Amino acid sequence: MPAIDFQPHAHDLLWGMSAAQLDAGAPDWAREVLAAAQPVVVRRGPAPAGQVAVGVRGRGREQRYASCMPLAAISRRVAPEQLTEAGAGQDAWPALRALAWLAPQLDALALSWGVTGGAGYQLATGVAVLHANSDLDLLLRAPQPLERTVAAELLALLDRALCRVDLQVETPAGAIALREWAGPAPQVLLKTNHGPLLVGDPWQEVAA
Amino acid sequence: METLSFAFPAGLPASRRAQVGCVGSGDLEVLLEPGQAGSLNIQVVTSVNGSAERWRHLFERMFAGANPPALNVDIHDFGATPGVVRLRLEQALEEVSDV
């Protein structure tokens, strides 16, 4: 096993978790996903020392199972930033064609961005989870505050894409929805490792 | 996709409307409008099937015996966790409450 010298981030895909590492109450479909050597998705949440909070992804929205994975079991990690090449032909699902259209424009932002959700999972694994009505889920890393006017311009770009695009802005404190930050709400939902919070400034560190 | 309806006893109608939240994975959109005196009606359209019991428990904990304002509540849920639902409802209720 390789030594793990990093802390995985929310939305990273991790390989190496075995069905035996699930708790006894885990559903059969989750065991089958891991027995097939599919990756798990890092989620935001507390985990015991030496472990990371993850979700197992099955078919459909109902098949999501929260668990924890030992860091020592990680054999491979793919971050959303590594999944920006849609390689989509004209016959690809709208989510992948939207990605191919958006990629050069997002590259021009000079901020790291990547693909999460079903599109990221499919690009990383080859497992066909997308369909004609799938959204495109994206992540943008914003270590410094993103002006709300800039957020509104970016949202206008995303709303011209071929399918619905959800972009999460990752701040040092957690993640917010670009759509909400681009709007007028004085307080926005910040998803942190310790649960969701309503905050005025999502770049301000929050006390645990 | 599932549409669920809930009703609770309530007090006087709220004095204004409010819209909070956001359409997107793991979140929900909540629209509150003043309702008929005495009743709080909630309609939930959710992308998660089989979640009626979970919603009923959540609303009961928030509204049963709490004499909430009379409201018509429309919720569009995109797989939000109970923690997110609660925060969004509290955010919306704060906006319609008299300051």
Side-chain angles (χ1 to χ4, degrees):
Chain A
M1 281 296 164
I4 297 303
D5 57 356
F6 61 87
Q7 183 62 39
H9 298 134
H11 302 291
D12 285 352
L13 295 170
L14 304 178
W15 280 259
M17 185 167 175
S18 70
Q21 285 160 340
L22 286 169
D23 58 82
D28 288 345
W29 66 258
R31 294 182 190 285
E32 285 159 19
V33 165
L34 295 185
Q38 293 301 323
V40 293
V41 187
V42 177
R43 61 185 171 84
R44 245 174 271 282
Q51 298 192 46
V52 57
V54 297
V56 185
R57 188 186 177 105
R59 287 188 204 85
R61 284 178 191 273
E62 285 78 34
Q63 292 194 346
R64 300 283 189 277
Y65 189 75
S67 185
C68 286
M69 175 180 184
L71 290 171
I74 300 170
S75 60
R76 179 178 173 227
R77 166 196 178 222
V78 169
E81 290 94 320
Q82 295 167 261
L83 300 169
T84 57
E85 303 274 336
Q90 282 304 301
D91 55 345
W93 293 123
L96 294 180
R97 289 164 61 197
L99 172 59
W101 180 76
L102 281 169
Q105 309 186 69
L106 293 172
D107 284 342
L109 291 176
L111 288 171
S112 288
W113 67 278
V115 184
T116 62
Y121 192 86
Q122 179 162 327
L123 289 169
T125 63
V127 175
V129 296
L130 292 176
H131 52 79
N133 299 318
S134 294
D135 298 348
L136 175 61
D137 293 311
L138 300 177
L139 159 163
L140 182 72
R141 304 220 189 264
Q144 303 297 326
L146 187 72
E147 294 293 332
R148 279 184 172 229
T149 50
V150 175
E153 285 168 23
L154 180 53
L155 182 66
L157 168 69
L158 300 185
D159 282 347
R160 292 204 304 275
L162 196 57
C163 70
R164 216 196 120 69
V165 181
D166 271 337
L167 186 145
Q168 296 279 311
V169 179
E170 296 275 336
T171 82
I176 55 171
L178 180 78
R179 195 168 295 279
E180 187 169 29
W181 187 240
Q187 291 224 303
V188 298
L189 187 86
L190 178 72
K191 294 177 178 173
T192 79
N193 277 337
H194 312 287
L197 298 166
L198 288 168
V199 299
D201 178 2
W203 277 267
Q204 195 180 336
E205 283 297 339
V206 281
Chain B
M1 231 24 148
E2 220 168 49
T3 303
L4 309 165
S5 295
F6 305 88
F8 292 91
L12 293 171
S15 51
R16 59 178 80 90
R17 67 193 293 282
Q19 184 167 3
V20 304
C22 184
V23 175
S25 315
D27 208 331
L28 72 164
E29 194 177 51
V30 183
L31 177 66
L32 303 192
E33 283 177 329
Q36 293 274 343
S39 61
L40 167 65
N41 290 304
I42 308 172
Q43 181 171 284
V44 180
V45 177
T46 173
S47 62
V48 182
N49 292 333
S51 56
E53 280 302 284
R54 191 163 63 79
W55 287 100
R56 194 172 57 77
H57 282 301
L58 194 151
F59 293 139
E60 275 176 358
R61 278 198 300 275
M62 284 191 80
F63 299 125
N67 197 36
L71 290 162
N72 291 320
V73 179
D74 263 313
I75 293 177
H76 287 99
D77 170 56
F78 305 89
T81 62
V84 170
V85 174
R86 217 188 153 91
L87 267 185
R88 288 300 195 193
L89 280 170
E90 285 168 358
Q91 183 185 21
L93 286 168
E94 193 160 315
E95 283 199 21
V96 297
S97 70
D98 286 307
V99 189

